[in-house]
Amino acid sequence: MVHSAYDSFELLTNCPSKIESIESYGSKILLGCTDGSLLIYAPESERSATVPEEMRKEAYSLERSLKGFARRPVVSMQVVESRELLLSLSESIAFHRLPNFETIAVITKAKGANAFCWDERRGFLCFARQKRLCIFRHDDGRGFVEVKDFGVPDVVKSMSWCGENICLGIRKEYVILNATSGAISEVFTSGRLAPPLVVSLPSGELLLGKENIGVFVDQNGKLRPEGRICWSEAPAEVVIQKPYALALLPRFLEIRSLRGPYPLIQTVVFRNVRHLRQSNNSVIIALENSVHGLFPVPLGAQIVQLTAAGNFEEALSLCKLLPPEDSNLRAAKEGSIHIRYAHYLFDNGSYEESMEHFLASQVDITHVLSLYTSIILPKTTIVHDSDKLDIFGDALYLSRGSSAMSDDMEPSPASNMSESDDNSELESKKMSYNMLMALIKFLQKKRHGIIEKATAEGTEEVVFDAVGNNFATYNSNRFKKINKGRGSIPISSGAREMASILDTALLQALLLTGQPSLAENILRGLNYCDMKICEEILQEGNYHVALVELYKCNSMHREALELINKLVKESSQSKIAHRFKPEAIIEYLKPLCETEPILVLDYSMLVLESCPTQTMELFLSGNIPADMVNLYLKQHAPNLQAMYLELMLAANENAISGTLQNEMVHIYLSEVLDWHADLSSQRKWDEKVYSPKRKKLLSALETMSGYNPETLLKLLPSDALYEERAILLGKMNQHELALALYVHKLHVQELALTYCDHLYESTHQHSVKSPSNIYLMLLQIYLNPRRTTDNYEKRISNLLSPQNKPIRMVSSKSLLRTRSRGSKKIAAIEFAEDTRAGLSSDSGRSDADTDEFTEEGSTSIMLDEALDLLSRRWDRINGAEALKLLPKETKLQNLLPFLGPLVRKYSEMYRNCSVVRNLRQSENLQVKDEFYKKRKTAVKISGDNMCSLCHKKIGTSVFAVYPNGKTLVHFVCFRDSQSMKAVAKGTPLKKAF
């Protein structure tokens, strides 16, 4: 016997007749005797009670005897308390009204019946007679009505309702009969030695007996996966009273648990037992002339017995049966049993199962961690609840666990140990590994809830701080860095202390079991690891990656970067050096760009030379201020300054400021000047040779606008880099000088034309006045080369002078010539103020028409280039002004490519304008015609016409008609309405004034 689930008590003895059947009704016992009488017994203390109560654990005495209750022995009885009925099976089946036991109905068709069953839900009675099965329905006041009558294969020995079906135990097998259609389906054979036994379970399922085995089936006869109950012998009767099943065996009663594997709970020895019957709170046993009762032992007492005997599983199952009002008691008992069971399993090497019970007990993790002496825990101020631990009475379990763990964690023995010692050491290591793996699973399951609570408390604290509710009780020495990006927060609560203990222990367990990658994952996320303890452990074990993550999650970025840099330098000696290449520093710095730009720049300089491309990508993708990056590069790596600016410009043209543009152009210019000086010293300089740096300089000068062209112009040599000089002069609006350089210094006419095109297109897009003047300026340079070359140096020196630009002085001779010929040869160049100042009055004539410059060796005019310009850009040049600039000797034949398309264009424009003018005249005539027609419209006025404004009759008053021809108003009303509209429109103006 495992424990006492029931207490046996003799209720009555010396029954005057032999007992054939037994039933209970409230606190009373009903005995059906072999002589057909019915004996009613009641507790001696409740003789006067009329209300049915529970069975009493005391002596019973005869209260009433009904002789002649039946003609033959009462084989079976069943009380239907919901309908206040008693069913009895004797010669036939009779119904008696309770509590007076008068007979109200006898089913004559049930004569000779040997078994019956009652369906409480629907009020159906089913009985078996020979090889027939009959179903009757109780109709309250009208008695019983026959519903069905079916034939069965053999005589029914046992039967029970199962939902809409009926399970029958016939001589050799079990069958399921459909109560509606009568269809029969076989279940399995019933066995050879023991008769069939059908027992209904509270869940609606069935327990079918096959020899000494009880098989669970559902309402359709399908086997259930719960398993089987194995009795010591084949039972004659079985009674189900949760959580136990009681079986009547030949020599004793056997009590087994209904929870798999259905262990034996208790045996009660009885002889000559006739029947078992379940009452409302007990099981009554009928012998030949006496009755005994089996009363359940209180669940609390059973739980104590089971726990003391070490049957923890059964004790936990009984805890679930405690009533809901005892929820606190239930939780306390379950917790204490789980803890004791966990220690029992831990001592016997079932570590994972042990941790499952620790988890179910809701015990503090510090209690579990006390079993692992090798785990170093941070100091805590948590006061543990000792109520759950009082069940031990001593420190036996803790001492066992601690000693086991300390033995497991001993260092490896010397090499000269014997073979048996080696085996024991291997077994010890295996046990230690299993212990730690079980601890890891336990901590991982507990972690989510604890971390969630700790985070919630941290959030509340931040909220309190934000509203100014800081508590003075927080000590300054209780600050701790706990997780990534959170800095230092005070640990002032049990939840965060518990989280620190858990994460610190979990990290150590993962490292001890050889799982550093999982430890790294813990550190990468939200964690509360103790900084000091974990740092020492990781340093001793050379867990460099985890140590970096520890520094990182505690915002100790300088320590982390110093460690990575050290490992990169010692890459040849470190076992994990391949994980710490210079790129590791860049990867670490990426998330810090927005929050720690100075730190990123400081440590990026360590890998700038070895990983320039990745470092530049870091600068560009990290949103670090470009001016700050440029300053650092200028100080530490000036050779990479241009590379950074180029990448930044390529990523986003608008992202580079004017200062950086100026810096970039100066870098390019300095490199080009060095290149020019080198070639000039070797006398290999060629103006038409373009190095990559010079190409970049030219592109930057053309596309950028943030630099100062005057400053750069002063840096250029006077005898070289003419194209750069031309671009700078163009930026300064000195277009004549720029074009002079293209024509007379570089001798590349195509560049001059491209320059004019670019300027024309840009000014044309912005609607600048007279965009074609730039081509006239180029035409002047072609036709007056001597004036351009003579004045070039002087104007350049004036531009580079630190003083203000001087006003050009005109000689008296030039002024006289301007007066006499200005009306014929003046070109109206109005592009810019500097350009107008630079154009002298004698520019109206070409050098071929002047008398002043006839010295030998003078520069001849470039007539062919001028004519080519006119033919290619005829649509952009003012024809009249161009013709004034050409020399008199120019042949009209050469001007055909210019004048031909020009004349055609103006002719087409004239024709188009004439067509438009005629169309508008025609439209004007149509409008006038329609206007005259509208004015001829006649309006008939009668005495019934009303004014639409004042709603009075028009009469003989002056009136007005609206354009639709139907709306009539007094002229006075119309005038008043118009004046009101004028006033309304003028109101905003008046308010404004």
Side-chain angles (χ1 to χ4, degrees):
M1 183 177 68
V2 178
H3 77 284
S4 296
Y6 289 89
D7 290 335
S8 176
F9 186 81
E10 189 177 40
L11 299 176
L12 62 94
T13 58
N14 301 324
C15 181
S17 299
K18 188 177 181 181
I19 301 173
E20 185 68 23
S21 60
I22 187 172
E23 180 61 289
S24 66
Y25 174 54
S27 61
K28 299 180 180 182
I29 299 175
L30 310 180
L31 299 179
C33 302
T34 56
D35 58 0
S37 62
L38 178 66
L39 303 179
I40 299 98
Y41 282 82
E44 294 182 354
S45 61
E46 296 288 340
R47 294 298 297 273
S48 60
T50 58
V51 180
E53 296 181 359
E54 297 180 347
M55 295 291 296
R56 295 299 184 92
K57 192 177 180 181
E58 57 181 83
Y60 276 65
S61 60
L62 182 63
E63 179 186 69
R64 185 179 177 185
S65 177
L66 299 177
K67 298 295 185 179
F69 181 76
R71 294 180 181 180
R72 294 184 180 182
V74 182
V75 178
S76 178
M77 293 186 296
Q78 182 175 348
V79 171
V80 183
E81 292 188 3
S82 62
R83 299 172 186 261
E84 293 294 327
L85 294 175
L86 171 65
L87 282 71
S88 64
L89 173 60
S90 180
E91 183 181 13
S92 181
I93 296 178
F95 287 80
H96 311 274
R97 180 72 64 188
L98 294 175
N100 298 323
F101 301 99
E102 68 269 16
T103 303
I104 59 173
V106 176
I107 301 178
T108 57
K109 193 173 182 178
K111 188 175 182 179
N114 61 312
F116 74 91
C117 59
W118 173 259
D119 185 357
E120 179 72 21
R121 182 175 60 87
R122 297 180 296 172
F124 276 23
L125 171 68
C126 179
F127 60 86
R129 181 174 57 87
Q130 296 178 357
K131 294 184 179 182
R132 304 297 299 178
L133 197 70
C134 300
I135 300 175
F136 281 73
R137 183 180 72 249
H138 182 234
D139 279 353
D140 296 331
R142 294 187 296 171
F144 287 85
V145 179
E146 184 176 358
V147 178
K148 295 288 183 180
D149 188 350
F150 301 111
V152 293
D154 208 336
V155 177
V156 177
K157 298 295 184 180
S158 181
M159 61 193 304
S160 177
W161 284 95
C162 50
E164 303 294 329
N165 302 325
I166 306 172
C167 182
L168 305 176
I170 57 180
R171 183 172 298 178
K172 295 182 180 180
E173 61 182 348
Y174 293 101
V175 296
I176 297 293
L177 183 140
N178 188 292
T180 303
S181 63
I184 294 177
S185 59
E186 296 182 359
V187 181
F188 54 79
T189 58
S190 60
R192 298 179 180 179
L193 301 179
L197 178 64
V198 181
V199 181
S200 178
L201 299 177
S203 61
E205 298 173 346
L206 299 172
L207 178 66
L208 305 182
K210 185 173 184 179
E211 305 297 355
N212 67 324
I213 297 174
V215 182
F216 293 96
V217 297
D218 61 13
Q219 295 182 354
N220 297 316
K222 303 296 182 182
L223 296 178
R224 300 293 298 164
E226 284 81 0
R228 303 176 179 182
I229 297 180
C230 295
W231 310 102
S232 301
E233 301 179 43
E237 293 183 9
V238 173
V239 171
I240 304 297
Q241 190 176 47
K242 277 194 168 184
Y244 303 116
L246 294 83
L248 175 58
L249 305 183
R251 295 174 297 172
F252 53 83
L253 264 71
E254 188 170 284
I255 304 171
R256 288 185 177 271
S257 173
L258 284 176
R259 188 182 59 84
Y262 313 105
L264 176 65
I265 301 299
Q266 182 182 1
T267 57
V268 183
V269 178
F270 285 105
R271 296 287 184 180
N272 302 321
V273 177
R274 302 297 300 268
H275 293 289
L276 287 180
R277 196 66 178 177
Q278 181 180 0
S279 68
N280 44 25
N281 67 328
S282 61
V283 176
I284 50 179
I285 306 170
L287 283 69
E288 289 187 355
N289 297 100
S290 62
V291 176
H292 290 256
L294 291 180
F295 292 90
V297 176
L299 290 177
Q302 293 188 54
I303 293 170
V304 172
Q305 294 180 40
L306 290 169
T307 305
N311 195 345
F312 302 105
E313 294 287 349
E314 193 67 30
L316 290 171
S317 67
L318 290 183
C319 286
K320 295 179 172 58
L321 299 178
L322 289 172
E325 56 268 17
D326 296 336
S327 58
N328 294 333
L329 175 63
R330 171 181 169 179
K333 285 186 174 296
E334 284 185 342
S336 63
I337 294 171
H338 277 299
I339 294 174
R340 291 198 64 175
Y341 194 17
H343 279 282
Y344 171 80
L345 293 171
F346 192 89
D347 290 343
N348 288 276
S350 300
Y351 303 115
E352 289 195 12
E353 295 181 20
S354 171
M355 294 302 156
E356 290 295 332
H357 287 282
F358 275 129
L359 191 67
S361 69
Q362 300 297 323
V363 70
D364 290 339
I365 60 173
T366 52
H367 178 78
V368 179
L369 291 173
S370 63
L371 302 175
Y372 295 82
T373 56
S374 63
I375 302 294
I376 304 173
L377 301 179
K379 294 181 180 179
T380 177
T381 59
I382 301 175
V383 178
H384 302 290
D385 185 9
S386 60
D387 294 341
K388 291 183 178 180
L389 308 181
D390 291 342
I391 60 174
F392 301 112
D394 54 22
L396 176 63
Y397 292 89
L398 291 177
S399 61
R400 288 179 182 175
S402 301
S403 61
M405 192 63 196
S406 61
D407 294 341
D408 296 338
M409 294 303 172
E410 287 294 324
S412 59
S415 59
N416 58 354
M417 292 182 66
S418 63
E419 183 178 355
S420 60
D421 293 337
D422 292 339
N423 293 335
S424 62
E425 178 192 359
L426 181 62
E427 188 67 25
S428 176
K429 288 182 177 180
K430 183 178 179 181
M431 184 187 305
S432 171
Y433 178 82
N434 294 337
M435 291 170 65
L436 290 170
M437 288 301 297
L439 176 64
I440 290 171
K441 294 179 180 179
F442 168 76
L443 294 177
Q444 287 175 339
K445 292 177 180 178
K446 296 281 289 185
R447 189 172 188 269
H448 175 74
I450 293 178
I451 294 296
E452 194 175 47
K453 290 181 181 179
T455 305
E457 289 184 353
T459 304
E460 292 177 1
E461 183 176 282
V462 171
V463 172
F464 286 141
D465 291 343
V467 298
N469 293 332
N470 296 325
F471 295 99
T473 55
Y474 288 168
N475 297 327
S476 60
N477 60 346
R478 300 181 67 186
F479 282 79
K480 181 179 179 182
K481 295 179 181 179
I482 58 170
N483 69 313
K484 185 185 338 183
R486 292 181 60 185
S488 299
I489 64 173
I491 296 182
S492 58
S493 66
R496 278 180 286 179
E497 287 192 18
M498 193 64 69
S500 176
I501 293 172
L502 187 148
D503 281 347
T504 304
L506 179 58
L507 181 73
Q508 296 177 64
L510 290 172
L511 295 177
L512 290 172
T513 53
Q515 303 180 81
S517 59
L518 294 180
E520 296 163 14
N521 291 336
I522 294 291
L523 293 171
R524 289 190 184 101
L526 175 63
N527 69 87
Y528 290 79
C529 292
D530 184 271
M531 177 62 205
K532 183 177 180 181
I533 295 175
C534 295
E535 183 181 22
E536 293 178 358
I537 293 173
L538 295 175
Q539 287 177 346
E540 291 175 1
N542 292 326
Y543 296 106
H544 301 113
V545 178
L547 184 57
V548 170
E549 295 296 337
L550 178 67
Y551 288 143
K552 187 176 183 180
C553 71
N554 286 275
S555 299
M556 300 173 63
H557 303 301
R558 292 192 179 274
E559 290 80 355
L561 291 167
E562 291 293 343
L563 176 61
I564 297 175
N565 187 38
K566 177 183 176 183
L567 293 171
V568 170
K569 293 179 179 179
E570 299 174 356
S571 58
S572 59
Q573 301 176 0
S574 177
K575 296 180 180 180
I576 57 171
H578 63 281
R579 300 186 64 179
F580 290 98
K581 296 179 180 179
E583 290 82 355
I585 295 179
I586 297 175
E587 291 297 324
Y588 188 96
L589 292 173
K590 283 182 179 179
L592 304 177
C593 291
E594 294 186 1
T595 56
E596 301 283 349
I598 301 298
L599 181 70
V600 172
L601 292 173
D602 285 342
Y603 284 91
S604 62
M605 299 304 157
L606 300 175
V607 293
L608 190 58
E609 296 294 335
S610 57
C611 304
T613 305
Q614 296 91 326
T615 308
M616 294 301 168
E617 292 177 357
L618 172 68
F619 292 154
L620 295 173
S621 62
N623 296 325
I624 304 177
D627 295 334
M628 188 182 298
V629 176
N630 181 63
L631 181 61
Y632 263 75
L633 292 174
K634 192 173 184 178
Q635 295 175 354
H636 300 89
N639 57 325
L640 297 175
Q641 191 178 3
M643 177 183 179
Y644 167 72
L645 295 174
E646 290 171 359
L647 291 173
M648 189 172 182
L649 183 64
N652 187 359
E653 295 182 0
N654 299 325
I656 185 167
S657 63
T659 304
L660 295 180
Q661 291 182 16
N662 188 48
E663 189 81 22
M664 187 174 183
V665 172
H666 274 81
I667 293 172
Y668 288 155
L669 180 58
S670 63
E671 294 177 352
V672 171
L673 290 176
D674 294 340
W675 173 64
H676 166 261
D678 184 40
L679 291 181
S680 297
S681 62
Q682 302 175 19
R683 297 184 179 180
K684 296 181 180 180
W685 172 254
D686 187 355
E687 189 66 33
K688 296 184 179 180
V689 175
Y690 296 92
S691 66
K693 287 297 180 182
R694 189 181 182 191
K695 291 179 181 179
K696 290 182 180 181
L697 175 61
L698 292 171
S699 175
L701 291 175
E702 289 178 353
T703 58
M704 294 182 182
S705 60
Y707 59 88
N708 187 349
E710 295 183 4
T711 304
L712 296 177
L713 194 61
K714 296 177 181 179
L715 300 177
L716 294 177
S718 59
D719 58 346
L721 302 178
Y722 295 119
E723 188 170 352
E724 289 82 349
R725 186 183 296 274
I727 295 174
L728 293 175
L729 290 171
K731 294 290 183 179
M732 298 169 63
N733 290 330
Q734 298 295 327
H735 306 295
E736 183 182 6
L737 296 179
L739 290 173
L741 286 174
Y742 285 125
V743 174
H744 299 304
K745 294 293 185 180
L746 293 173
H747 305 289
V748 182
Q749 318 307 325
E750 199 63 36
L751 286 179
L753 183 59
T754 303
Y755 180 90
C756 293
D757 292 340
H758 175 71
L759 187 61
Y760 174 86
E761 292 169 0
S762 61
T763 55
H764 184 72
Q765 291 176 357
H766 296 86
S767 301
V768 178
K769 185 180 179 181
S770 302
S772 61
N773 286 341
I774 187 65
Y775 293 101
L776 293 176
M777 189 179 294
L778 178 59
L779 188 62
Q780 276 188 325
I781 292 173
Y782 286 151
L783 299 177
N784 297 322
R786 188 178 344 191
R787 183 193 62 81
T788 305
T789 54
D790 290 345
N791 295 335
Y792 172 76
E793 294 298 336
K794 183 177 181 181
R795 295 186 63 183
I796 284 293
S797 62
N798 292 336
L799 286 174
L800 300 181
S801 175
Q803 300 176 357
N804 296 331
K805 298 178 182 179
I807 300 175
R808 182 177 178 86
M809 301 301 294
V810 183
S811 63
S812 59
K813 186 176 180 180
S814 300
L815 182 59
L816 180 61
R817 191 166 55 246
T818 302
R819 290 177 180 175
S820 60
R821 301 177 183 177
S823 58
K824 297 180 181 180
K825 298 295 183 177
I826 296 178
I829 307 300
E830 299 175 349
F831 182 73
E833 182 179 353
D834 292 339
T835 306
R836 290 197 301 269
L839 293 176
S840 61
S841 58
D842 61 351
S843 63
R845 297 289 301 273
S846 65
D847 286 350
D849 294 336
T850 60
D851 300 329
E852 291 79 4
F853 304 101
T854 56
E855 293 89 351
E856 187 177 351
S858 62
T859 305
S860 63
I861 66 173
M862 305 171 67
L863 184 60
D864 293 338
E865 287 79 359
L867 294 175
D868 181 66
L869 172 64
L870 292 174
S871 64
R872 295 174 65 179
R873 296 294 183 268
W874 61 267
D875 56 333
R876 299 184 178 184
I877 301 176
N878 189 320
E881 298 296 336
L883 291 175
K884 293 177 183 180
L885 296 175
L886 290 173
K888 296 178 180 179
E889 295 81 6
T890 305
K891 297 180 181 180
L892 290 177
Q893 180 69 28
N894 297 333
L895 292 175
L896 284 178
F898 168 63
L899 295 176
L902 187 63
V903 171
R904 285 193 295 271
K905 174 184 175 183
Y906 281 105
S907 299
E908 184 179 357
M909 290 176 61
Y910 177 77
R911 287 194 302 271
N912 292 340
C913 290
S914 299
V915 172
V916 172
R917 184 181 67 255
N918 294 333
L919 289 174
R920 288 180 178 176
Q921 289 177 354
S922 175
E923 183 181 5
N924 186 28
L925 292 175
Q926 292 176 2
V927 173
K928 285 183 178 180
D929 181 63
E930 185 178 358
F931 174 69
Y932 291 144
K933 289 180 181 180
K934 293 293 183 180
R935 293 188 63 179
K936 291 180 181 180
T937 303
V939 179
K940 185 177 181 179
I941 303 297
S942 66
D944 297 331
N945 292 106
M946 305 289 289
C947 176
S948 298
L949 294 176
C950 67
H951 304 291
K952 295 180 181 180
K953 291 185 178 182
I954 298 293
T956 58
S957 302
V958 180
F959 64 89
V961 184
Y962 279 90
N964 58 10
K966 297 180 181 180
T967 304
L968 301 175
V969 294
H970 290 110
F971 180 75
V972 176
C973 296
F974 173 74
R975 184 181 57 192
D976 293 342
S977 64
Q978 295 300 316
S979 62
M980 290 175 63
K981 290 181 180 179
V983 171
K985 292 181 179 179
T987 301
L989 293 176
K990 292 179 180 181
K991 291 182 178 179
F993 283 110

